[in-house]
Amino acid sequence: MQIMKLALAAGLAAMTAAPALAADYKEEYKISTVVPAPFPWGIAAETWAEMVGERTDGRIKMKVYPGAQLVSGDQTKEFTAMRRGIIDMAVGSTINWSPQVKELNLFSLPFLMPDYAAIDALTQGPVGDKLFEILSDKGVVPLAWAENGFREVSNSQKPIHTPEDLAGLKMRVVGSPLFNDTFTALGANPTQMSWADAKPALTTGAVDGQENPVSVFAVAKIYEVGQNNLTLWHYVADPLIFAVNQDVWDSFTPEDQEIVRQAAIDAGAKGIEIAREGMTGNDKSAIEAIEAKGVDVVELTEEERQAFIDATRGVYDEWKEKIDPELVDMAEESIANR
């Protein structure tokens, strides 16, 4: 009897030592993304899932579901679905979440951020902290930043050096009113459509052009559907956010919460590094690889870029009021002091 009591006590001790509530964890946690690996976005999400699995010894199993398939392909519904618990986690675009979180339109203000240091000044400074507070108040737990990159413009008709070159072009844009306003101000005819519909539309000529990061242009081989003109204008950037549904987060032990958070930070850093590869400093290999495919790549001069800034200033000022003037002022100050 004494032996049985000792065995029972040992078993209870072992159970107590096991991570609390681990038995209540789901068999799988679903991560929503828009694009898979080998896009930097997809790599960041996959890395997060792999790191968490390794660092929790399999207690937390996460799987990436690309193509916004958890929200029937409508990427603008991703944030709401995560907040409601329909999906567990996401590595989401600030653009796609902006319909529900107006402050995230900050990153889509035309020509706010001139370089990568400006992006970092926002995401890694007081602006990033403020945005995470806003997201936390909306029922999700933001953990870390990653990056889709600066969105550049391409088309099948002609090189773009001036706003006048965009006049009349049918341009695919994401589902954000701010993008629609920006391209309208530049004289183009913007057409909002999901990423799933974009490449077929380019293939058939239903639209003349599109705007996306260079990494997306290259990995998706957009140059194969007539997009033989690419202009690097850095007009907006597309930071990504790692986030978890609040109830899912609360179900994790504090120790596992820290593991999930740190894994997101590490995966985000890797994603940013990959998104910028061949695009910074003396390394222009990503651009050179696109030029080797027969694409005419235009890099705007300061004077040329200023013409676009001037043409969209009215949109900038209008949306600054809609987003939050104090937040935009904070962003402008962070960039000026970068």
Short mmCIF file of all heavy atoms in Angstrom, two decimals, residues 80-139:
data_model
loop_
_atom_site.label_atom_id
_atom_site.label_comp_id
_atom_site.label_asym_id
_atom_site.label_seq_id
_atom_site.Cartn_x
_atom_site.Cartn_y
_atom_site.Cartn_z
N THR A 80 -10.80 40.66 -38.66
CA THR A 80 -12.07 40.41 -37.98
C THR A 80 -12.21 38.94 -37.61
O THR A 80 -12.68 38.61 -36.51
CB THR A 80 -13.24 40.84 -38.88
OG1 THR A 80 -13.14 42.25 -39.13
CG2 THR A 80 -14.57 40.55 -38.22
N ALA A 81 -11.79 38.06 -38.50
CA ALA A 81 -11.89 36.62 -38.24
C ALA A 81 -11.00 36.22 -37.08
O ALA A 81 -11.39 35.39 -36.24
CB ALA A 81 -11.51 35.83 -39.49
N MET A 82 -9.82 36.81 -36.98
CA MET A 82 -8.94 36.50 -35.86
C MET A 82 -9.51 37.06 -34.56
O MET A 82 -9.49 36.39 -33.53
CB MET A 82 -7.54 37.07 -36.11
CG MET A 82 -6.57 36.85 -34.96
SD MET A 82 -4.86 37.29 -35.37
CE MET A 82 -5.07 38.95 -36.02
N ARG A 83 -10.02 38.27 -34.60
CA ARG A 83 -10.59 38.88 -33.40
C ARG A 83 -11.76 38.04 -32.87
O ARG A 83 -11.94 37.91 -31.66
CB ARG A 83 -11.05 40.30 -33.72
CG ARG A 83 -11.62 41.06 -32.53
CD ARG A 83 -11.86 42.51 -32.87
NE ARG A 83 -12.76 42.67 -34.01
CZ ARG A 83 -13.03 43.85 -34.58
NH1 ARG A 83 -12.46 44.94 -34.13
NH2 ARG A 83 -13.86 43.92 -35.59
N ARG A 84 -12.54 37.47 -33.76
CA ARG A 84 -13.70 36.68 -33.36
C ARG A 84 -13.36 35.23 -33.03
O ARG A 84 -14.21 34.47 -32.59
CB ARG A 84 -14.75 36.70 -34.48
CG ARG A 84 -15.37 38.08 -34.69
CD ARG A 84 -16.35 38.06 -35.85
NE ARG A 84 -17.01 39.35 -36.03
CZ ARG A 84 -17.83 39.64 -37.05
NH1 ARG A 84 -18.08 38.72 -37.97
NH2 ARG A 84 -18.37 40.84 -37.14
N GLY A 85 -12.10 34.84 -33.25
CA GLY A 85 -11.68 33.48 -32.94
C GLY A 85 -11.94 32.49 -34.04
O GLY A 85 -11.77 31.27 -33.85
N ILE A 86 -12.33 32.96 -35.22
CA ILE A 86 -12.54 32.06 -36.36
C ILE A 86 -11.20 31.51 -36.82
O ILE A 86 -11.10 30.36 -37.24
CB ILE A 86 -13.25 32.80 -37.50
CG1 ILE A 86 -14.64 33.25 -37.04
CG2 ILE A 86 -13.36 31.92 -38.74
CD1 ILE A 86 -15.34 34.17 -38.02
N ILE A 87 -10.17 32.34 -36.74
CA ILE A 87 -8.80 31.86 -36.95
C ILE A 87 -8.00 32.18 -35.69
O ILE A 87 -8.34 33.10 -34.94
CB ILE A 87 -8.14 32.50 -38.19
CG1 ILE A 87 -8.10 34.03 -38.08
CG2 ILE A 87 -8.86 32.08 -39.45
CD1 ILE A 87 -7.42 34.70 -39.25
N ASP A 88 -6.96 31.41 -35.45
CA ASP A 88 -6.21 31.53 -34.21
C ASP A 88 -5.16 32.62 -34.24
O ASP A 88 -4.96 33.34 -33.26
CB ASP A 88 -5.51 30.19 -33.90
CG ASP A 88 -6.47 29.03 -33.81
OD1 ASP A 88 -7.48 29.17 -33.10
OD2 ASP A 88 -6.21 28.00 -34.46
N MET A 89 -4.46 32.70 -35.37
CA MET A 89 -3.29 33.56 -35.47
C MET A 89 -3.17 34.07 -36.90
O MET A 89 -3.78 33.52 -37.81
CB MET A 89 -2.02 32.79 -35.11
CG MET A 89 -2.06 32.07 -33.79
SD MET A 89 -0.67 30.93 -33.64
CE MET A 89 -0.88 30.35 -31.95
N ALA A 90 -2.35 35.07 -37.08
CA ALA A 90 -2.10 35.56 -38.43
C ALA A 90 -0.77 36.28 -38.49
O ALA A 90 -0.29 36.83 -37.50
CB ALA A 90 -3.22 36.50 -38.89
N VAL A 91 -0.17 36.25 -39.66
CA VAL A 91 0.89 37.18 -40.00
C VAL A 91 0.26 38.02 -41.10
O VAL A 91 0.14 37.60 -42.24
CB VAL A 91 2.16 36.47 -40.49
CG1 VAL A 91 3.24 37.49 -40.85
CG2 VAL A 91 2.68 35.51 -39.43
N GLY A 92 -0.21 39.20 -40.69
CA GLY A 92 -1.07 39.97 -41.56
C GLY A 92 -0.48 41.28 -42.02
O GLY A 92 0.39 41.87 -41.37
N SER A 93 -0.98 41.74 -43.16
CA SER A 93 -0.57 43.00 -43.74
C SER A 93 -1.29 44.17 -43.06
O SER A 93 -2.50 44.11 -42.84
CB SER A 93 -0.87 43.01 -45.24
OG SER A 93 -0.88 44.32 -45.75
N THR A 94 -0.55 45.23 -42.78
CA THR A 94 -1.17 46.43 -42.24
C THR A 94 -2.20 46.99 -43.22
O THR A 94 -3.19 47.59 -42.80
CB THR A 94 -0.11 47.50 -41.92
OG1 THR A 94 0.72 47.70 -43.08
CG2 THR A 94 0.75 47.06 -40.77
N ILE A 95 -1.98 46.77 -44.50
CA ILE A 95 -2.93 47.24 -45.52
C ILE A 95 -4.24 46.47 -45.39
O ILE A 95 -5.33 47.05 -45.37
CB ILE A 95 -2.35 47.06 -46.93
CG1 ILE A 95 -1.11 47.93 -47.11
CG2 ILE A 95 -3.40 47.41 -48.00
CD1 ILE A 95 -0.32 47.62 -48.36
N ASN A 96 -4.16 45.16 -45.29
CA ASN A 96 -5.36 44.33 -45.24
C ASN A 96 -6.16 44.53 -43.95
O ASN A 96 -7.37 44.33 -43.93
CB ASN A 96 -4.98 42.86 -45.39
CG ASN A 96 -4.44 42.54 -46.76
OD1 ASN A 96 -4.73 43.24 -47.73
ND2 ASN A 96 -3.64 41.49 -46.84
N TRP A 97 -5.47 44.90 -42.88
CA TRP A 97 -6.17 45.10 -41.60
C TRP A 97 -6.66 46.53 -41.43
O TRP A 97 -7.41 46.83 -40.50
CB TRP A 97 -5.23 44.75 -40.44
CG TRP A 97 -4.88 43.29 -40.36
CD1 TRP A 97 -5.27 42.29 -41.21
CD2 TRP A 97 -4.05 42.66 -39.37
NE1 TRP A 97 -4.73 41.08 -40.83
CE2 TRP A 97 -3.98 41.28 -39.70
CE3 TRP A 97 -3.36 43.13 -38.26
CZ2 TRP A 97 -3.25 40.37 -38.94
CZ3 TRP A 97 -2.63 42.22 -37.49
CH2 TRP A 97 -2.58 40.86 -37.83
N SER A 98 -6.25 47.43 -42.32
CA SER A 98 -6.62 48.84 -42.15
C SER A 98 -8.11 49.13 -42.24
O SER A 98 -8.56 50.11 -41.64
CB SER A 98 -5.85 49.70 -43.17
OG SER A 98 -6.22 49.38 -44.50
N PRO A 99 -8.93 48.33 -42.96
CA PRO A 99 -10.37 48.62 -42.94
C PRO A 99 -10.98 48.51 -41.54
O PRO A 99 -11.97 49.18 -41.24
CB PRO A 99 -10.95 47.57 -43.89
CG PRO A 99 -9.86 47.26 -44.84
CD PRO A 99 -8.62 47.30 -43.98
N GLN A 100 -10.40 47.67 -40.69
CA GLN A 100 -10.90 47.52 -39.32
C GLN A 100 -10.10 48.35 -38.31
O GLN A 100 -10.60 48.65 -37.23
CB GLN A 100 -10.85 46.04 -38.90
CG GLN A 100 -11.83 45.13 -39.61
CD GLN A 100 -11.37 44.75 -40.99
OE1 GLN A 100 -10.21 44.45 -41.20
NE2 GLN A 100 -12.28 44.76 -41.95
N VAL A 101 -8.87 48.70 -38.66
CA VAL A 101 -8.01 49.47 -37.75
C VAL A 101 -7.50 50.66 -38.55
O VAL A 101 -6.46 50.58 -39.22
CB VAL A 101 -6.84 48.62 -37.22
CG1 VAL A 101 -6.05 49.39 -36.16
CG2 VAL A 101 -7.32 47.30 -36.67
N LYS A 102 -8.20 51.76 -38.51
CA LYS A 102 -7.92 52.89 -39.40
C LYS A 102 -6.51 53.43 -39.23
O LYS A 102 -5.91 53.96 -40.17
CB LYS A 102 -8.94 54.00 -39.18
CG LYS A 102 -8.90 54.67 -37.80
CD LYS A 102 -9.95 55.76 -37.67
CE LYS A 102 -9.95 56.41 -36.29
NZ LYS A 102 -8.71 57.14 -35.99
N GLU A 103 -5.96 53.30 -38.02
CA GLU A 103 -4.62 53.84 -37.78
C GLU A 103 -3.55 53.13 -38.61
O GLU A 103 -2.48 53.70 -38.86
CB GLU A 103 -4.27 53.73 -36.28
CG GLU A 103 -5.10 54.66 -35.39
CD GLU A 103 -6.43 54.04 -34.97
OE1 GLU A 103 -6.76 52.92 -35.44
OE2 GLU A 103 -7.15 54.67 -34.16
N LEU A 104 -3.82 51.89 -39.03
CA LEU A 104 -2.83 51.16 -39.83
C LEU A 104 -2.70 51.74 -41.24
O LEU A 104 -1.76 51.41 -41.97
CB LEU A 104 -3.20 49.68 -39.90
CG LEU A 104 -3.09 48.91 -38.58
CD1 LEU A 104 -3.49 47.46 -38.77
CD2 LEU A 104 -1.68 49.00 -38.00
N ASN A 105 -3.63 52.61 -41.63
CA ASN A 105 -3.49 53.32 -42.91
C ASN A 105 -2.27 54.22 -42.91
O ASN A 105 -1.87 54.72 -43.97
CB ASN A 105 -4.74 54.15 -43.19
CG ASN A 105 -5.90 53.32 -43.71
OD1 ASN A 105 -5.85 52.76 -44.79
ND2 ASN A 105 -6.96 53.25 -42.91
N LEU A 106 -1.69 54.44 -41.76
CA LEU A 106 -0.50 55.27 -41.66
C LEU A 106 0.56 54.86 -42.68
O LEU A 106 1.16 55.70 -43.36
CB LEU A 106 0.08 55.17 -40.24
CG LEU A 106 1.44 55.84 -40.02
CD1 LEU A 106 1.28 57.35 -39.99
CD2 LEU A 106 2.09 55.33 -38.73
N PHE A 107 0.80 53.56 -42.79
CA PHE A 107 1.86 53.06 -43.66
C PHE A 107 1.51 53.21 -45.14
O PHE A 107 2.39 53.03 -46.00
CB PHE A 107 2.16 51.60 -43.33
CG PHE A 107 2.66 51.38 -41.93
CD1 PHE A 107 1.83 50.85 -40.95
CD2 PHE A 107 3.94 51.74 -41.58
CE1 PHE A 107 2.28 50.65 -39.66
CE2 PHE A 107 4.41 51.55 -40.28
CZ PHE A 107 3.58 51.01 -39.31
N SER A 108 0.26 53.52 -45.43
CA SER A 108 -0.18 53.69 -46.81
C SER A 108 -0.30 55.16 -47.20
O SER A 108 -0.75 55.46 -48.31
CB SER A 108 -1.52 52.98 -47.04
OG SER A 108 -1.39 51.59 -46.81
N LEU A 109 0.06 56.08 -46.31
CA LEU A 109 0.11 57.49 -46.68
C LEU A 109 1.15 57.65 -47.78
O LEU A 109 2.31 57.25 -47.61
CB LEU A 109 0.48 58.35 -45.48
CG LEU A 109 -0.64 58.67 -44.49
CD1 LEU A 109 -0.07 59.39 -43.28
CD2 LEU A 109 -1.74 59.49 -45.14
N PRO A 110 0.77 58.24 -48.90
CA PRO A 110 1.71 58.29 -50.03
C PRO A 110 2.98 59.06 -49.73
O PRO A 110 2.93 60.21 -49.29
CB PRO A 110 0.89 58.97 -51.14
CG PRO A 110 -0.22 59.69 -50.44
CD PRO A 110 -0.52 58.87 -49.22
N PHE A 111 4.11 58.37 -49.90
CA PHE A 111 5.44 58.95 -49.81
C PHE A 111 5.80 59.44 -48.41
O PHE A 111 6.60 60.36 -48.24
CB PHE A 111 5.62 60.06 -50.85
CG PHE A 111 5.39 59.56 -52.25
CD1 PHE A 111 4.18 59.79 -52.89
CD2 PHE A 111 6.36 58.82 -52.91
CE1 PHE A 111 3.94 59.30 -54.17
CE2 PHE A 111 6.14 58.33 -54.19
CZ PHE A 111 4.92 58.57 -54.82
N LEU A 112 5.22 58.80 -47.38
CA LEU A 112 5.60 59.12 -46.00
C LEU A 112 7.00 58.63 -45.69
O LEU A 112 7.78 59.32 -45.04
CB LEU A 112 4.60 58.47 -45.02
CG LEU A 112 4.99 58.47 -43.54
CD1 LEU A 112 5.05 59.89 -42.99
CD2 LEU A 112 4.01 57.62 -42.73
N MET A 113 7.34 57.42 -46.15
CA MET A 113 8.60 56.76 -45.77
C MET A 113 9.55 56.72 -46.97
O MET A 113 9.30 56.01 -47.94
CB MET A 113 8.32 55.33 -45.28
CG MET A 113 7.49 55.28 -44.02
SD MET A 113 6.70 53.66 -43.74
CE MET A 113 5.38 53.72 -44.98
N PRO A 114 10.65 57.45 -46.91
CA PRO A 114 11.56 57.49 -48.05
C PRO A 114 12.53 56.31 -48.15
O PRO A 114 13.07 56.04 -49.22
CB PRO A 114 12.33 58.80 -47.84
CG PRO A 114 12.34 58.98 -46.36
CD PRO A 114 11.01 58.44 -45.88
N ASP A 115 12.77 55.61 -47.04
CA ASP A 115 13.77 54.55 -47.05
C ASP A 115 13.48 53.54 -45.95
O ASP A 115 12.54 53.70 -45.16
CB ASP A 115 15.18 55.13 -46.88
CG ASP A 115 15.29 56.09 -45.69
OD1 ASP A 115 14.60 55.84 -44.67
OD2 ASP A 115 16.04 57.07 -45.78
N TYR A 116 14.30 52.48 -45.91
CA TYR A 116 14.08 51.42 -44.92
C TYR A 116 14.28 51.91 -43.49
O TYR A 116 13.62 51.44 -42.56
CB TYR A 116 15.00 50.24 -45.21
CG TYR A 116 14.61 49.46 -46.44
CD1 TYR A 116 15.38 49.51 -47.60
CD2 TYR A 116 13.46 48.68 -46.45
CE1 TYR A 116 15.03 48.80 -48.74
CE2 TYR A 116 13.10 47.96 -47.58
CZ TYR A 116 13.89 48.03 -48.73
OH TYR A 116 13.51 47.34 -49.85
N ALA A 117 15.19 52.85 -43.31
CA ALA A 117 15.40 53.40 -41.97
C ALA A 117 14.13 54.08 -41.46
O ALA A 117 13.85 54.06 -40.26
CB ALA A 117 16.56 54.40 -41.98
N ALA A 118 13.35 54.64 -42.37
CA ALA A 118 12.09 55.27 -41.98
C ALA A 118 11.07 54.23 -41.53
O ALA A 118 10.33 54.45 -40.56
CB ALA A 118 11.53 56.08 -43.15
N ILE A 119 11.03 53.09 -42.22
CA ILE A 119 10.13 52.00 -41.79
C ILE A 119 10.50 51.56 -40.38
O ILE A 119 9.63 51.43 -39.50
CB ILE A 119 10.20 50.80 -42.75
CG1 ILE A 119 9.82 51.20 -44.16
CG2 ILE A 119 9.27 49.68 -42.25
CD1 ILE A 119 9.95 50.06 -45.17
N ASP A 120 11.79 51.35 -40.15
CA ASP A 120 12.26 50.91 -38.84
C ASP A 120 11.96 51.93 -37.76
O ASP A 120 11.62 51.58 -36.62
CB ASP A 120 13.76 50.62 -38.88
CG ASP A 120 14.11 49.44 -39.77
OD1 ASP A 120 13.21 48.62 -40.04
OD2 ASP A 120 15.28 49.35 -40.21
N ALA A 121 12.08 53.21 -38.11
CA ALA A 121 11.80 54.27 -37.13
C ALA A 121 10.36 54.21 -36.66
O ALA A 121 10.06 54.54 -35.51
CB ALA A 121 12.10 55.64 -37.74
N LEU A 122 9.47 53.76 -37.52
CA LEU A 122 8.06 53.65 -37.15
C LEU A 122 7.77 52.35 -36.40
O LEU A 122 7.23 52.37 -35.30
CB LEU A 122 7.18 53.75 -38.39
CG LEU A 122 7.28 55.05 -39.20
CD1 LEU A 122 6.21 55.07 -40.30
CD2 LEU A 122 7.15 56.27 -38.32
N THR A 123 8.14 51.23 -36.99
CA THR A 123 7.76 49.95 -36.39
C THR A 123 8.50 49.67 -35.09
O THR A 123 7.96 49.02 -34.19
CB THR A 123 8.00 48.79 -37.36
OG1 THR A 123 9.40 48.74 -37.72
CG2 THR A 123 7.17 48.95 -38.63
N GLN A 124 9.73 50.17 -34.97
CA GLN A 124 10.54 49.87 -33.79
C GLN A 124 10.58 51.02 -32.78
O GLN A 124 11.37 50.99 -31.84
CB GLN A 124 11.97 49.51 -34.22
CG GLN A 124 12.06 48.44 -35.27
CD GLN A 124 11.35 47.15 -34.89
OE1 GLN A 124 11.47 46.69 -33.75
NE2 GLN A 124 10.60 46.57 -35.82
N GLY A 125 9.71 52.00 -32.97
CA GLY A 125 9.70 53.15 -32.08
C GLY A 125 8.35 53.38 -31.45
O GLY A 125 7.50 52.47 -31.37
N PRO A 126 8.09 54.61 -30.98
CA PRO A 126 6.84 54.91 -30.29
C PRO A 126 5.60 54.72 -31.15
O PRO A 126 4.54 54.39 -30.63
CB PRO A 126 7.01 56.38 -29.87
CG PRO A 126 8.11 56.92 -30.73
CD PRO A 126 9.01 55.77 -31.01
N VAL A 127 5.73 54.89 -32.45
CA VAL A 127 4.58 54.67 -33.34
C VAL A 127 4.18 53.20 -33.32
O VAL A 127 2.99 52.86 -33.21
CB VAL A 127 4.90 55.12 -34.77
CG1 VAL A 127 3.79 54.68 -35.73
CG2 VAL A 127 5.05 56.64 -34.83
N GLY A 128 5.17 52.32 -33.42
CA GLY A 128 4.88 50.90 -33.36
C GLY A 128 4.25 50.50 -32.04
O GLY A 128 3.31 49.70 -32.01
N ASP A 129 4.76 51.06 -30.95
CA ASP A 129 4.19 50.77 -29.63
C ASP A 129 2.73 51.22 -29.55
O ASP A 129 1.87 50.51 -29.01
CB ASP A 129 5.00 51.48 -28.54
CG ASP A 129 6.42 50.92 -28.40
OD1 ASP A 129 6.66 49.79 -28.86
OD2 ASP A 129 7.27 51.63 -27.83
N LYS A 130 2.46 52.41 -30.09
CA LYS A 130 1.10 52.93 -30.06
C LYS A 130 0.16 52.06 -30.88
O LYS A 130 -0.97 51.76 -30.45
CB LYS A 130 1.09 54.36 -30.61
CG LYS A 130 -0.30 55.01 -30.65
CD LYS A 130 -0.90 55.16 -29.26
CE LYS A 130 -2.22 55.89 -29.31
NZ LYS A 130 -2.86 55.98 -27.96
N LEU A 131 0.60 51.62 -32.04
CA LEU A 131 -0.24 50.77 -32.88
C LEU A 131 -0.52 49.43 -32.20
O LEU A 131 -1.63 48.90 -32.30
CB LEU A 131 0.42 50.57 -34.24
CG LEU A 131 0.46 51.81 -35.14
CD1 LEU A 131 1.31 51.56 -36.37
CD2 LEU A 131 -0.95 52.22 -35.56
N PHE A 132 0.46 48.89 -31.50
CA PHE A 132 0.25 47.63 -30.78
C PHE A 132 -0.75 47.83 -29.65
O PHE A 132 -1.55 46.93 -29.35
CB PHE A 132 1.58 47.09 -30.26
CG PHE A 132 2.31 46.22 -31.25
CD1 PHE A 132 2.04 46.31 -32.61
CD2 PHE A 132 3.28 45.31 -30.84
CE1 PHE A 132 2.71 45.50 -33.54
CE2 PHE A 132 3.95 44.50 -31.76
CZ PHE A 132 3.66 44.60 -33.10
N GLU A 133 -0.74 48.99 -29.00
CA GLU A 133 -1.74 49.27 -27.97
C GLU A 133 -3.15 49.29 -28.57
O GLU A 133 -4.09 48.76 -27.99
CB GLU A 133 -1.45 50.63 -27.33
CG GLU A 133 -0.24 50.67 -26.43
CD GLU A 133 0.02 52.08 -25.91
OE1 GLU A 133 -0.89 52.93 -26.03
OE2 GLU A 133 1.13 52.33 -25.39
N ILE A 134 -3.27 49.89 -29.74
CA ILE A 134 -4.56 49.98 -30.41
C ILE A 134 -5.06 48.59 -30.78
O ILE A 134 -6.24 48.25 -30.58
CB ILE A 134 -4.45 50.87 -31.66
CG1 ILE A 134 -4.20 52.32 -31.24
CG2 ILE A 134 -5.70 50.77 -32.53
CD1 ILE A 134 -3.80 53.25 -32.38
N LEU A 135 -4.18 47.75 -31.32
CA LEU A 135 -4.56 46.39 -31.68
C LEU A 135 -4.96 45.59 -30.45
O LEU A 135 -5.92 44.81 -30.48
CB LEU A 135 -3.41 45.70 -32.41
CG LEU A 135 -3.10 46.22 -33.82
CD1 LEU A 135 -1.78 45.63 -34.32
CD2 LEU A 135 -4.22 45.89 -34.78
N SER A 136 -4.24 45.78 -29.36
CA SER A 136 -4.54 45.05 -28.12
C SER A 136 -5.93 45.39 -27.61
O SER A 136 -6.62 44.53 -27.03
CB SER A 136 -3.50 45.37 -27.05
OG SER A 136 -2.22 44.94 -27.44
N ASP A 137 -6.36 46.61 -27.83
CA ASP A 137 -7.70 47.02 -27.39
C ASP A 137 -8.80 46.45 -28.26
O ASP A 137 -9.98 46.57 -27.92
CB ASP A 137 -7.80 48.55 -27.39
CG ASP A 137 -6.96 49.20 -26.29
OD1 ASP A 137 -6.63 48.50 -25.31
OD2 ASP A 137 -6.64 50.39 -26.42
N LYS A 138 -8.43 45.82 -29.37
CA LYS A 138 -9.42 45.29 -30.30
C LYS A 138 -9.53 43.77 -30.26
O LYS A 138 -10.08 43.16 -31.17
CB LYS A 138 -9.11 45.77 -31.73
CG LYS A 138 -9.29 47.29 -31.90
CD LYS A 138 -9.06 47.71 -33.33
CE LYS A 138 -9.27 49.22 -33.50
NZ LYS A 138 -10.69 49.60 -33.30
N GLY A 139 -8.97 43.15 -29.22
CA GLY A 139 -9.17 41.72 -29.04
C GLY A 139 -8.16 40.81 -29.67
O GLY A 139 -8.38 39.61 -29.79
#
